[in-house]
Amino acid sequence: MILTPNELMLFLVACKDAIAEINHIEMIIDDSQLANRISEVHVADNLLLYGVLPDYGGDYRDEEGVMYDNGLDFLILKKTEYTDVSYNEFNDLMQETLMVARKFLTYVYSEKNNPNTCPTFYYLKEGSEKITPVWAKAGCNGYMVSFNLRTEL
């Protein structure tokens, strides 16, 4: 079954419990909601994990029915006061958030191989994983981790 908003929220909670560096989680729908919600977050709340509600697209049809591609994006961010950040501090910030992005993806793989919190992750479309740097998005820096699940409707 496609990943539902309730399952996404349960997964975010499990990530916060499993990854010590994550202090704040939220589910969002797009950049405008992120910008709106981030204004209520303080630098002391770092690191931040935002799960973007997935989009769903038809993938292919097999003997069991139509399969759907669930496009998932997760933002691992650190709210930043730019006036205080030197080049070296920015590098350190990107290093820190990348290491957490790696932990996050490792957690996703563990859910695929031994589904506990989110059985839908069993359907991880291997090879779809991508880690992309994020700069100055709503006053934050870090990485976006993206991947797809291939599920039934």
Side-chain angles (χ1 to χ4, degrees):
M1 185 169 100
I2 59 175
L3 186 72
T4 68
N6 288 343
E7 289 173 317
L8 177 59
M9 197 61 221
L10 287 172
F11 179 69
L12 292 173
V13 169
C15 287
K16 184 178 178 195
D17 292 343
I19 304 169
E21 295 88 346
I22 296 173
N23 294 313
H24 180 86
I25 57 169
E26 267 188 70
M27 183 173 58
I28 58 171
I29 195 162
D30 62 14
D31 286 350
S32 64
Q33 188 178 21
L34 173 66
N36 185 20
R37 300 295 302 143
I38 204 82
S39 65
E40 298 176 20
V41 176
H42 303 284
V43 172
D45 295 330
N46 287 322
L47 288 175
L48 319 171
L49 172 62
Y50 288 90
V52 181
L53 283 168
D55 57 17
Y56 314 100
D59 192 8
Y60 68 90
R61 184 176 213 35
D62 66 11
E63 60 277 352
E64 296 178 20
V66 177
M67 300 300 288
Y68 283 83
D69 210 27
N70 301 229
L72 298 167
D73 294 320
F74 296 89
L75 296 158
I76 297 165
L77 302 172
K78 189 165 190 174
K79 190 165 183 179
T80 308
E81 300 292 339
Y82 285 98
T83 57
D84 301 333
V85 177
S86 69
Y87 175 79
N88 288 335
E89 290 169 327
F90 178 76
N91 186 58
D92 292 344
L93 177 153
M94 295 305 288
Q95 178 71 22
E96 177 186 10
T97 53
L98 180 58
M99 293 302 101
V100 174
R102 287 177 61 193
K103 285 183 180 181
F104 174 81
L105 209 44
T106 299
Y107 186 73
V108 168
Y109 295 141
S110 73
E111 280 296 308
K112 177 191 179 358
N113 295 327
N114 187 17
N116 294 314
T117 305
C118 196
T120 307
F121 278 60
Y122 173 78
Y123 300 101
L124 175 67
K125 189 175 177 181
E126 292 185 28
S128 68
E129 308 89 349
K130 186 175 180 181
I131 301 174
T132 308
V134 172
W135 177 69
K137 183 182 280 270
C140 298
N141 299 295
Y143 285 86
M144 179 171 65
V145 178
S146 304
F147 55 88
N148 295 7
L149 305 176
R150 182 177 285 150
T151 65
E152 296 175 344
L153 185 59

